[in-house]
Amino acid sequence: MKRRNRYLVAIPLIALLIVLATVSIRWGLASLDLWRAAEILEQLEQSSLALESKEALLLRGFKHVSNAQAMGGGHADAFNRQGRLLYWQAMNLAEDWGQRNQLLDQAAEQYREALKVRPGWPYFWANLAVAKAERGIFDGEFRKAIRRTVETGPWEPRVQLQLIQVDFIEQQRLDRRSRQYIEQMLGNALQTQPLKVFDLASDLEQLARLCTMNEASVLASQCRTAGYALPVSSPS
């Protein structure tokens, strides 16, 4: 091959390698910002920092997500992180019900965007269901979010507890089918993380309900200690 022809082949290949390297670097930086945003979320959800420190952390979290979106485009995790930050802000820093509801609506919209990119991800469906429950909206989208969470992540520990908490808090505001889906999750959770279910029921004053379920036999000792007795099965 003549030298000129070799150049004609090599130049496009070099250009392609430069483009691929640039994209890889941008995605790497975006992933780093998303990881930092996740760390901040964990600190916000678990720490007892002063209010001013939490506000500063929240702003840093939003900045990291903004950087990730600028570098990586419409990444599903970026939408989800933004939604979770907005949800935390609504539940912890909102000055009134109007601001709280506005932030919850914004969080729900971010979860919808995440689901457009990754529609089979149970965490996004669960987050959407929780945001709508806190907003007091139990419409068709809420019912779909409950159903899809159970269909896509029936054994995911975090989403199990999210849906169980929705049921423990909302109870009669849920439609019958949604409650059936959540009861399936509750049965699964009692197999894999019964003590966390017990703690959640205790925190939300739902032990009387939990300890009357046949599926809660694994918690017999804990229920008795708390002053509740499991139902006696009828002889067959």
Side-chain angles (χ1 to χ4, degrees), residues 25 34 40 65 68 75 98 116 149 161 202 205 223-224:
I25 291 170
L34 288 177
I40 286 173
V65 173
H75 196 292
K116 290 178 184 178
T149 302
L161 295 178
S202 179
E205 300 181 348
C223 286
R224 281 194 297 269

Side-chain angles (χ1 to χ4, degrees), residues 72-225:
H75 196 292
D77 288 328
F79 291 123
N80 183 57
R81 298 279 196 280
Q82 182 83 350
R84 289 182 61 193
L85 287 167
L86 288 164
Y87 176 84
W88 186 91
Q89 184 179 11
M91 302 303 293
N92 295 275
L93 298 181
E95 296 179 358
D96 52 45
W97 279 94
Q99 185 185 33
R100 177 184 183 275
N101 288 341
Q102 184 180 34
L103 289 167
L104 287 171
D105 288 341
Q106 292 172 5
E109 185 57 36
Q110 293 296 312
Y111 299 142
R112 293 186 192 104
E113 292 298 318
L115 284 163
K116 290 178 184 178
V117 182
R118 201 182 298 165
W121 200 242
Y123 299 98
F124 301 166
W125 286 114
N127 289 344
L128 178 60
V130 170
K132 298 204 69 162
E134 289 290 350
R135 184 68 171 82
I137 299 176
F138 303 95
D139 57 4
E141 183 182 50
F142 170 81
R143 295 191 292 273
K144 180 181 179 181
I146 294 292
R147 174 176 60 82
R148 290 294 289 144
T149 302
V150 177
E151 289 174 348
T152 58
W155 296 101
E156 295 295 326
R158 194 182 87 195
V159 300
Q160 287 175 348
L161 295 178
Q162 283 181 285
L163 293 199
I164 293 167
Q165 179 169 321
V166 167
D167 188 30
F168 281 172
I169 293 174
E170 302 301 342
Q171 299 187 42
Q172 299 305 318
R173 300 182 73 186
L174 304 182
D175 64 284
R176 180 181 61 84
R177 189 64 178 131
S178 293
R179 294 193 71 178
Q180 288 176 340
Y181 277 119
I182 296 175
E183 285 172 4
Q184 177 185 335
M185 284 295 237
L186 178 56
N188 292 349
L190 285 171
Q191 295 180 53
T192 59
Q193 50 180 344
L195 294 180
K196 288 188 176 180
V197 175
F198 182 88
D199 289 342
L200 182 61
S202 179
D203 291 342
L204 297 175
E205 300 181 348
Q206 292 295 307
L207 284 180
R209 175 183 170 190
L210 178 67
C211 291
T212 58
M213 298 176 58
N214 289 321
E215 296 89 341
S217 58
V218 67
L219 294 170
S221 175
Q222 288 81 2
C223 286
R224 281 194 297 269
T225 300

Side-chain angles (χ1 to χ4, degrees), residues 1-19:
M1 182 182 295
K2 295 181 179 179
R3 179 177 297 179
R4 181 174 178 275
N5 291 338
R6 288 201 297 269
Y7 287 153
L8 291 175
V9 172
I11 289 172
L13 289 175
I14 292 170
L16 177 60
L17 289 173
I18 292 172
V19 170

